[in-house]
């Protein structure tokens, strides 16, 4: 368990799983019920798809039950995806909760944020890294010199590549970064138009599971500090702290269950079609989840590592200045 820390400023909050589209009433966070006019708080969360804690909670009703205990309910809006659009949706009052990496979070915080982070999950030791095709002559990070590597700009991919190069003593300008959206990269990677792909488990599982790719360096080898974080829209946290705390408790408890039994959180709604994970890819995903972290409150040691990432991004010119990450963190256990 991480040590608890009193954080400086509560201001801005948001992100648990990002959106590519948002719907519903952007201002409709409360509704009146019956003659007693009891307010029900609506918390807007990206639809979780076919896997994970929220998907299972959506299907079995356990998330509804946990939120009903504090007078709240979920409105699933948009769909999970990259964090940057989710941050924009929170800033526009179209989303209340989302998930993203500390790396994408830092770049989003550099632009007038209206959200803050309230949980942390340790960096993925085995599910993120530098992916190369089977048969590639790239056997180490140093072999990336003169090559093209696909990354998502300002997010996990760019961070993993820059971090790997720095650790290997390779100047960043010796490797060509090809900026692509993660959901558009697989076809480019498999067609050989890039030599490697700096990527995380969401997209790596299918590639590794196909038997056509492998990590030349994973999160452990890279020395990644790429935490996964949950965030909340600032105004929502200020107005409904009890809802944020209930969601935190739900995520923490159920992420521990997922780590113990990963298979139970896969193919939640269907075991067929493009959202299903089967065969070798399913085995890969189960292995990644077992080695991964759980949702926890943000502690002092986490903050030090966040600051290291913020400093690294500034040094690498990914952000114009060092982002004050501590000003956008929330001590969930002191929220009231």
């Amino acid at each position: 368990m991480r040590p608890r820390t009193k954080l400086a400023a509560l201001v801005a909050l948001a992100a648990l799983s990002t959106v590519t589209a948002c719907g519903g009433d952007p201002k409709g966070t409360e509704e009146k019920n019956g003659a007693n006019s009891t307010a029900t708080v609506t918390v807007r969360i990206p639809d979780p798809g076919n896997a994970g804690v929220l998907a299972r909670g959506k299907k079995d009703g356990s998330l509804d039950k946990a939120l009903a205990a504090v007078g709240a309910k979920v409105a699933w809006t948009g769909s999970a995806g990259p964090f940057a659009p989710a941050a924009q949706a929170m800033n526009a009052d179209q989303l209340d909760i989302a998930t993203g990496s500390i790396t994408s979070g830092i770049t989003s915080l550099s632009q007038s944020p209206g959200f803050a982070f309230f949980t942390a999950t340790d960096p993925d030791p085995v599910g993120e890294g530098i992916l190369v095709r089977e048969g590639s002559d790239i056997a180490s990070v140093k072999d990336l010199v003169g090559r093209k590597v696909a990354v998502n700009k300002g997010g996990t991919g760019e961070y993993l590549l820059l971090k790997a190069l720095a650790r290997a003593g390779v100047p960043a300008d010796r490797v060509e970064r090809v900026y692509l959206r993660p959901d558009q990269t697989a076809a480019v990677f498999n067609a050989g138009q890039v030599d490697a792909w700096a990527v995380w488990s969401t997209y790596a599982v299918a590639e590794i599971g196909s038997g056509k790719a492998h990590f030349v360096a994973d999160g452990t080898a890279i020395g990644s500090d790429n935490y996964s974080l949950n965030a909340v829209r600032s105004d929502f946290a200020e107005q409904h702290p009890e809802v944020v705390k209930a969601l935190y408790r739900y995520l923490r408890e159920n992420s521990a269950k997922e780590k113990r039994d990963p298979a139970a959180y896969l193919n939640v709604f269907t075991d067929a079609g493009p959202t299903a994970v089967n065969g070798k890819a399913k085995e890969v995903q189960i292995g990644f989840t077992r080695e991964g972290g759980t949702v926890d409150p943000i502690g002092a040691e986490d903050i030090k590592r966040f600051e290291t990432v913020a400093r690294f991004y500034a040094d690498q010119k990914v952000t114009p200045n060092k982002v004050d990450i501590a000003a956008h963190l929330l001590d969930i256990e002191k929220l009231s």
Side-chain angles (χ1 to χ4, degrees), residues 205-206 208-210 266 277-286:
V205 164
I208 295 173
S210 71
L266 294 175
V277 182
N278 292 299
K280 181 63 176 178
K282 186 174 181 179
E283 294 177 22
V284 171
Q285 182 62 75
I286 287 171

Side-chain angles (χ1 to χ4, degrees), residues 45-327:
I45 303 175
D47 189 277
N50 196 33
V53 166
L54 290 179
R56 181 160 174 170
K58 178 183 178 182
K59 182 177 182 180
D60 66 17
S62 59
L63 179 60
D64 287 337
K65 183 178 179 180
L67 291 176
V70 290
K73 68 176 185 177
V74 177
W76 302 108
T77 178
S79 59
F83 181 68
Q88 292 172 357
M90 288 186 284
N91 290 342
D93 190 16
Q94 296 174 331
L95 190 66
D96 300 310
I97 298 290
T99 298
S101 64
I102 182 62
T103 47
S104 293
I106 286 171
T107 53
S108 295
L109 286 173
S110 67
Q111 310 163 10
S112 304
F115 61 89
F117 299 107
F118 66 99
T119 76
T121 301
D122 285 340
D124 189 343
V126 296
E128 63 179 13
I130 310 299
L131 199 68
V132 298
R133 292 181 297 279
E134 292 296 336
S136 170
D137 61 354
I138 300 172
S140 71
V141 172
K142 290 185 177 181
D143 294 334
L144 294 173
V145 171
R147 307 298 186 100
K148 295 179 179 180
V149 182
V151 302
N152 60 313
K153 186 174 180 62
T156 291
E158 188 162 28
Y159 168 78
L160 291 172
L161 175 61
L162 292 173
K163 183 74 173 178
L165 295 176
R167 193 163 202 185
V170 176
D173 61 3
R174 300 287 303 281
V175 176
E176 182 179 348
R177 278 169 268 176
V178 179
Y179 294 119
L180 294 169
R181 274 177 34 188
D183 59 351
Q184 297 177 335
T185 305
V188 176
F189 174 72
N190 287 305
Q193 294 175 292
V194 293
D195 302 292
W197 182 6
V199 67
W200 60 102
S201 62
T202 300
Y203 302 97
V205 164
E207 303 304 318
I208 295 173
S210 71
K212 298 179 181 179
H214 65 275
F215 283 134
V216 72
D218 61 15
T220 297
I222 290 170
S224 172
D225 285 316
N226 187 38
Y227 282 77
S228 176
L229 306 177
N230 284 313
V232 58
R233 187 171 57 84
S234 303
D235 287 349
F236 187 91
E238 291 175 357
Q239 295 166 12
H240 309 294
E242 71 290 345
V243 178
V244 181
K245 292 174 78 171
L247 185 57
Y248 152 71
R249 288 191 295 268
Y250 183 85
L251 292 170
R252 188 178 190 195
E253 177 183 347
N254 287 280
S255 69
K257 292 179 181 179
E258 182 184 28
K259 183 177 171 69
R260 291 193 297 268
D261 185 14
Y265 292 80
L266 294 175
N267 301 335
V268 173
F269 290 98
T270 179
D271 59 5
T275 64
V277 182
N278 292 299
K280 181 63 176 178
K282 186 174 181 179
E283 294 177 22
V284 171
Q285 182 62 75
I286 287 171
F288 285 172
T289 302
R290 282 183 176 147
E291 294 293 322
T294 58
V295 172
D296 287 315
I298 299 169
E301 185 58 34
D302 304 318
I303 298 171
K304 290 179 183 178
R305 294 175 71 177
F306 296 171
E307 295 286 0
T308 297
V309 177
R311 190 176 305 109
F312 180 75
Y313 258 26
D315 291 344
Q316 294 288 331
K317 310 302 182 187
V318 177
T319 56
N321 301 294
K322 179 179 175 294
V323 172
D324 182 9
I325 185 73

